[in-house]
Amino acid sequence: MNNPEEFAAELVDHYLGTRLDTAGAPAGLRETAIALLTEALAAGHVETLMSAQLDALAHPSRTQYPDAYLAAEAAAEEALQQAAAGLRVAFAQAGHLGPARSFERGAAARLRDAPHAALRAELARIPRPLTRPEALAWSLDPAPWFSDSRQEELPWPPSGLSPVANMRALPGGAAALSQVADGPHAGWVQIGLIEQHRTPARRYPDQPARQVRIALGLEAVNNDPPPGPFPLAQAPWQLWTHPLQRLAPALTPADTAAQHLSTKAQALVALTDAGTTNIVDAPDRHSGLGLPLYVLAPAASVVATLGVEPTDGICGFSLSDAAGEALICRQWHGHLVHDGNYEPLLPAIAGADLLIRPDLFTRLRDTIGPTRCQTGISVRHMSLAQDDDLDGAGD
């Protein structure tokens, strides 16, 4: 690296920026963390750690890097913790004195990593499923739309994208939704899906960064919706971990929620604030190592109407009722590619879906009103040059 300080600043902002913002950006903390990380980079500590992790995670004759080495994240985290350890002293030197124990406890709560969502996401991971409506079957072909072995371009945008690019909803209402074909959830209905295909830019052979994002979700509509809205609502990921009466007491009575579903136009699947994606503006969420790109959840009105609660025990994203598991969010990523930087391989595909048990889907559809059910859809693609920022483009 040509400029360790510049690289350190990029690592701190990328891995720690959300937590520093959530903590109120304490004066001098970011600068101190950058300075400590710069020293570690210049001294070769990060490179040594990276080599050790690669040796532990990959075969000695490896031809590919693994996707789990975390030297840069570990070094940034260590720099933050070292800097934060002197935070109360720095405040005291500036004339701000306070109770030591409460100050330390409060600072730790604001700056610590929160691994709960990442751990649940790992438990929810499955091999990439084939479940999706026929209109999106073309999206089963994975990124990066370029064959290293054949050195040839594949169609861009992907074949099959154009017919659905301007659709707001799939024909057929709720009948357009797919069902799981086999496995432990065979017959369950997929009421939500979001998946990103992404490949980084490469200088040789020259190729721009490319991205496709597909999203669909069950919606309740009164009239034809406007063309712009994203088919997913927004919600806290704690819908998977806390009883609804703690999160939204006003929606807890099932009859109140059912009335809301049967009369109000709304998205019934939500993109939560647990993922690393910037589609949801969630400035108060803690970023954590291992967070997935997307986590879906049923809308609060759906949870209340069906009377489901977080599943007991160790699990991924799961809600249950008296008959057993009722709704789940599945996670997947794969097709690893490298962008040429000192980071792990990037999953060219990452996604999530939301499944509901068949009897509950029938109950939900009847509550909404079959003629008010719609399968909302959003399909976007973009292509950017090497030095442009792909994140957030087009959203």
Side-chain angles (χ1 to χ4, degrees), residues 234-300:
Q234 299 179 13
W237 81 275
Q238 286 84 358
L239 282 169
W240 293 111
T241 60
H242 293 73
L244 187 61
Q245 57 265 33
R246 290 179 55 185
L247 300 175
L251 276 176
T252 300
D255 54 351
T256 301
Q259 177 69 17
H260 192 264
L261 277 183
S262 64
T263 58
K264 304 295 184 182
Q266 58 187 296
L268 304 180
V269 179
L271 185 61
T272 74
D273 55 5
T276 57
T277 176
N278 60 1
I279 293 177
V280 174
D281 182 15
D284 292 331
R285 91 174 146 76
H286 293 285
S287 63
L289 190 63
L291 284 176
L293 192 64
Y294 305 112
V295 175
L296 298 178

Side-chain angles (χ1 to χ4, degrees), residues 136-179:
L136 296 176
W138 56 269
S139 65
L140 290 172
D141 290 334
W145 309 288
F146 183 88
S147 170
D148 288 307
S149 61
R150 296 192 302 269
Q151 294 290 296
E152 67 181 79
E153 286 279 353
L154 299 179
W156 178 259
S159 300
L161 182 147
S162 297
V164 295
N166 296 315
M167 280 188 180
R168 176 61 181 83
L170 293 176
L177 296 169
S178 292
Q179 295 184 9

Side-chain angles (χ1 to χ4, degrees), residues 332-372:
W332 61 87
H333 70 256
H335 295 281
L336 303 178
V337 295
H338 205 283
D339 65 354
N341 293 317
Y342 293 98
E343 293 195 19
L345 298 179
L346 301 168
I349 289 183
D353 66 2
L354 182 66
L355 304 182
I356 186 171
R357 208 172 64 215
D359 62 305
L360 292 183
F361 173 71
T362 300
R363 179 178 159 194
L364 179 62
R365 183 193 59 199
D366 292 344
T367 300
I368 299 166
T371 60
R372 297 181 66 249

Side-chain angles (χ1 to χ4, degrees), residues 173-197:
L177 296 169
S178 292
Q179 295 184 9
V180 178
D182 50 28
H185 298 98
W188 285 42
V189 182
Q190 184 188 66
I191 59 172
L193 167 69
I194 185 165
E195 186 175 70
Q196 175 181 283
H197 301 199

